[in-house]
Amino acid sequence: QMHLVESGGGLVQAGGSLVLSCSASGRTDFGRFNMAWFRRAPGKGAEFIASIQWNGARSEYADDVKGRFIISRDNAKNTVTLRMNNLKPEDTALYYCTADSRPVRAVLNAPGIWDSRGPGTQVTVSS
């Protein structure tokens, strides 16, 4: 199982930007797994934010972050990055990265495919 650790969260004013990073360890084949970012706001369930294909060729975004967030990965460094721009108070949540349970899957997001996850990093956006 992949061990994931997120970093980069913090407190930012509305309209500001943050860059979250996810560092993976425990496997030598990180570059064969799709990766994703989710978030969980207080009192709400987990919400899919973005995913990226194992080779970085394709990505997928939730509608409310399209055009504001960018997901990328560096397979040489076993990292996934989420660049968040024009942040809104409703983006406040615990953000965590996850790994697909199977390698080189064609689908970028579907119920039940996400396996390992990190503890998360808190993002707070003030108005």
Side-chain angles (χ1 to χ4, degrees), residues 22-70:
C22 172
S23 178
S25 61
R27 296 187 69 106
T28 60
D29 55 354
F30 168 81
R32 300 183 70 229
F33 289 84
N34 297 344
M35 300 293 294
W37 285 92
F38 281 73
R39 68 187 180 189
R40 185 185 293 271
K44 297 185 178 180
E47 178 187 10
F48 169 80
I49 296 302
S51 60
I52 187 165
Q53 194 171 20
W54 53 275
N55 58 3
R58 293 187 298 132
S59 56
E60 188 172 309
Y61 295 90
D63 287 343
D64 58 352
V65 305
K66 280 181 182 177
R68 299 190 298 125
F69 292 10
I70 300 173

Side-chain angles (χ1 to χ4, degrees), residues 1-2 4 97-102 112-118:
Q1 193 173 18
M2 204 176 297
L4 303 171
C97 63
T98 67
D100 198 327
S101 59
R102 283 172 43 194
I113 69 171
W114 303 108
D115 188 349
S116 307
R117 60 156 288 183

Side-chain angles (χ1 to χ4, degrees), residues 55-122:
N55 58 3
R58 293 187 298 132
S59 56
E60 188 172 309
Y61 295 90
D63 287 343
D64 58 352
V65 305
K66 280 181 182 177
R68 299 190 298 125
F69 292 10
I70 300 173
I71 188 171
S72 61
R73 67 188 296 160
D74 185 337
N75 287 344
K77 297 181 178 180
N78 287 7
T79 58
V80 181
T81 299
L82 184 69
R83 299 181 183 277
M84 307 186 296
N85 300 312
N86 191 22
L87 283 161
K88 305 175 182 179
E90 51 264 42
D91 293 319
T92 295
L94 180 72
Y95 286 70
Y96 59 92
C97 63
T98 67
D100 198 327
S101 59
R102 283 172 43 194
V104 296
R105 194 192 302 263
V107 174
L108 288 186
N109 186 36
I113 69 171
W114 303 108
D115 188 349
S116 307
R117 60 156 288 183
T121 185
Q122 178 67 35

